[in-house]
Amino acid sequence: MTNEERYLFEAIALARSNAEKGGRPFGAVIVKDGEIIATGVNEILATNDPTAHAELNAIRAASQTLGSANLDGCKIYASGQPCPMCLAAMYIAGVSGVAYAYSNEDGASYGLSTAPVYAELHKPFAEQFLEIRHIPVREFRGASLYAHWKSSQSKAT
């Protein structure tokens, strides 16, 4: 058995345990330098938080473990195919790679596929179900929001 398979089996074990406790069947482990540094399970049903996916919970835990929001050099092993939200978080966090055991196709007949979300995000904003509008409101006084932030950052260092 390869290390990748071992990490995926660990993610599946977390998912199975979570399902046995009434949660959704998703688990994730984060590995850095060959060691598991964080794990997470899907806590949507327990917390009523639609963002409480296994991968996001594992990313939060890894960031705390490392004391950094930068997860460069980390790989995520997930029981299921990451949704677009989780995938975006991996990019933003600088995760180096992701592997998953069950695909959207595997989960579709159980209502566990995020393929429709992927399809919706491929459409131009004007064609998406969610109304997405850019309204360029700016303050009348002072620096723009981003200029203010940049100025605050340079004063803090």
Side-chain angles (χ1 to χ4, degrees):
M1 175 184 310
T2 68
N3 281 340
E4 285 199 314
E5 290 170 331
R6 185 169 57 88
Y7 301 139
L8 286 169
F9 277 123
E10 179 67 24
I12 293 168
L14 288 166
R16 186 175 297 277
S17 175
N18 197 50
E20 289 167 358
K21 295 174 188 168
R24 291 170 58 97
F26 297 103
V29 300
I30 297 185
V31 175
K32 184 169 183 162
D33 299 326
E35 298 293 324
I36 295 175
I37 62 163
T39 64
V41 296
N42 185 294
E43 296 178 342
I44 290 175
L45 299 176
T47 63
N48 294 316
D49 177 355
T51 69
H53 290 202
E55 298 92 335
L56 291 184
N57 288 334
I59 287 171
R60 291 178 185 117
S63 295
Q64 293 301 306
T65 297
L66 297 175
S68 174
N70 183 339
L71 300 184
D72 184 42
C74 292
K75 292 189 177 180
I76 295 182
Y77 296 88
S79 60
Q81 183 171 343
C83 74
M85 175 181 65
C86 292
L87 200 57
M90 291 176 203
Y91 277 106
I92 290 168
V95 169
S96 300
V98 60
Y100 57 93
Y102 287 84
S103 69
N104 273 327
E105 292 79 18
D106 294 327
S109 64
Y110 302 97
L112 298 172
S113 173
T114 57
V117 179
Y118 275 102
E120 190 69 16
L121 291 173
H122 275 62
K123 298 176 185 176
F125 282 172
E127 296 175 21
Q128 291 187 24
F129 172 78
L130 181 67
E131 181 181 333
I132 304 170
R133 300 181 321 152
H134 174 223
I135 303 172
V137 173
R138 302 293 186 262
E139 304 90 341
F140 293 109
R141 295 180 291 166
S144 74
L145 176 61
Y146 295 160
H148 174 74
W149 172 80
K150 187 68 170 174
S151 173
S152 298
Q153 294 301 303
S154 62
K155 290 177 187 175
T157 57

